[in-house]
Amino acid sequence: MDDGVPSTRLRLTMLDPLSEETRVLHDRVYVGGVSSSVFFHENTAYLLVDRHITEDDEYSDGRVWELWTYDITSDVMELSLQGNLTEGFLRNCWITDEGEIYFMLEKDIEAEREEDWQWSYTLAKIEDGSLKELWDVPYEPTLGDAQVYDGIVVSQYSTNFRYNKDVRFRVQDLDGSVIADGFLPYPDLGEDAEDYTFERYEIVWGDQTCMWMMLWLTKPVVHYGSPTTTQVSLTVKYDITDGGFVISFVEPTDRLPLIN
């Protein structure tokens, strides 16, 4: 809270791995909730902020997006770009080797009951200092997430994304062409993981040739006399081949001490 108004503090801190000294690059209190993501390209760190409009803004509707840049060479942090989102909010960003900045924009699809609302996703790009919407991710009622990675957009379709291995993944390039569309083959994790239950997929990184995933697993345990769960993750690499996915690497389960 800030003077009785719900608020969120956003702080970006730089740590020198050699001296272990820290320095705060960005420290601001935003009205209501705020989302952010950090990206690095050559000698520049980018901080993307998606926030509520305040009375000091020139905008009257929607949300505000800000792109802060930190030049490592000159040691300067500054607000480089700012704009208005009249609909939706930003999910994540990716900066290409050529310095092009892409964003995923999420919008609500309203229904009579709030619990029945759906979401749509649009790939956007900064052009001439403004946010330009490029194309919409193909909508289906089971569309639950879409994010931009290294030259691709990955969308996920399912009626349930937890404790369900049957999540459909669609991979498109930045022009919208479909590269792969299908379900992920589930790896044989062996006896070491027999007591664990699959919880969810998490994409770490991907391009037009592969996706690196975290498979999160849970196991019932008793902690200080109370039943709870312990959680571990396994790294799996899926190569994109002939419009689908094949497993090319699975982290050995015997490397995870919680499973042994």
Side-chain angles (χ1 to χ4, degrees):
M1 302 285 287
D2 185 24
D3 292 332
V5 179
S7 59
T8 303
R9 178 180 292 275
L10 176 62
R11 176 179 294 165
L12 177 64
T13 304
M14 179 178 63
L15 168 65
D16 188 326
L18 300 179
S19 66
E20 298 186 0
E21 294 181 354
T22 62
R23 180 184 166 204
V24 176
L25 301 178
H26 183 88
D27 188 0
R28 294 200 169 201
V29 176
Y30 293 92
V31 174
V34 61
S35 63
S36 64
S37 57
V38 179
F39 202 94
F40 300 90
H41 180 253
E42 296 181 345
N43 289 325
T44 304
Y46 295 83
L47 171 64
L48 170 67
V49 177
D50 181 329
R51 64 172 176 84
H52 289 280
I53 288 177
T54 68
E55 59 183 14
D56 296 329
D57 289 312
E58 59 182 286
Y59 315 110
S60 59
D61 186 31
R63 298 176 65 86
V64 176
W65 63 269
E66 300 174 345
L67 186 67
W68 294 79
T69 56
Y70 172 68
D71 189 306
I72 299 173
T73 304
S74 63
D75 193 28
V76 174
M77 181 80 170
E78 62 181 356
L79 178 60
S80 298
L81 292 172
Q82 178 177 286
N84 182 216
L85 288 173
T86 57
E87 184 181 7
F89 61 95
L90 299 180
R91 291 279 285 124
N92 75 318
C93 73
W94 190 272
I95 302 176
T96 67
D97 292 338
E98 293 73 33
E100 297 177 314
I101 304 176
Y102 289 86
F103 302 99
M104 187 58 63
L105 181 63
E106 180 179 314
K107 302 177 183 178
D108 292 327
I109 302 175
E110 297 184 12
E112 292 185 1
R113 300 187 308 167
E114 186 174 347
E115 58 266 31
D116 294 331
W117 283 22
Q118 299 288 332
W119 300 269
S120 67
Y121 297 90
T122 300
L123 183 66
K125 178 184 179 182
I126 289 183
E127 289 188 359
D128 299 325
S130 300
L131 201 67
K132 178 183 178 181
E133 297 186 15
L134 300 179
W135 51 268
D136 297 328
V137 171
Y139 174 76
E140 297 178 22
T142 55
L143 175 61
D145 184 56
Q147 297 197 41
V148 56
Y149 296 93
D150 191 356
I152 59 172
V153 171
V154 182
S155 49
Q156 301 180 40
Y157 299 82
S158 179
T159 56
N160 184 9
F161 290 91
R162 294 196 67 189
Y163 306 108
N164 178 26
K165 303 173 185 176
D166 296 328
V167 176
R168 188 171 125 239
F169 288 81
R170 174 184 281 135
V171 181
Q172 297 171 262
D173 64 23
L174 296 181
D175 292 324
S177 299
V178 177
I179 301 171
D181 191 341
F183 296 90
L184 302 179
Y186 195 77
D188 181 4
L189 301 180
E191 297 180 356
D192 289 325
E194 285 183 350
D195 296 333
Y196 281 79
T197 300
F198 170 81
E199 181 186 5
R200 61 185 171 88
Y201 296 105
E202 179 183 343
I203 304 174
V204 178
W205 177 85
D207 64 8
Q208 296 187 24
T209 66
C210 69
M211 291 194 305
W212 285 89
M213 310 282 293
M214 301 291 287
L215 269 57
W216 287 93
L217 312 173
T218 60
K219 176 183 179 180
V221 296
V222 176
H223 185 66
Y224 291 106
S226 300
T228 182
T229 59
T230 187
Q231 188 181 58
V232 298
S233 62
L234 288 172
T235 304
V236 180
K237 180 186 179 185
Y238 290 93
D239 286 342
I240 298 174
T241 304
D242 297 329
F245 309 97
V246 295
I247 297 173
S248 59
F249 171 81
V250 180
E251 181 181 359
T253 56
D254 58 8
R255 296 183 183 180
L256 299 174
L258 289 177
I259 290 183
N260 291 337

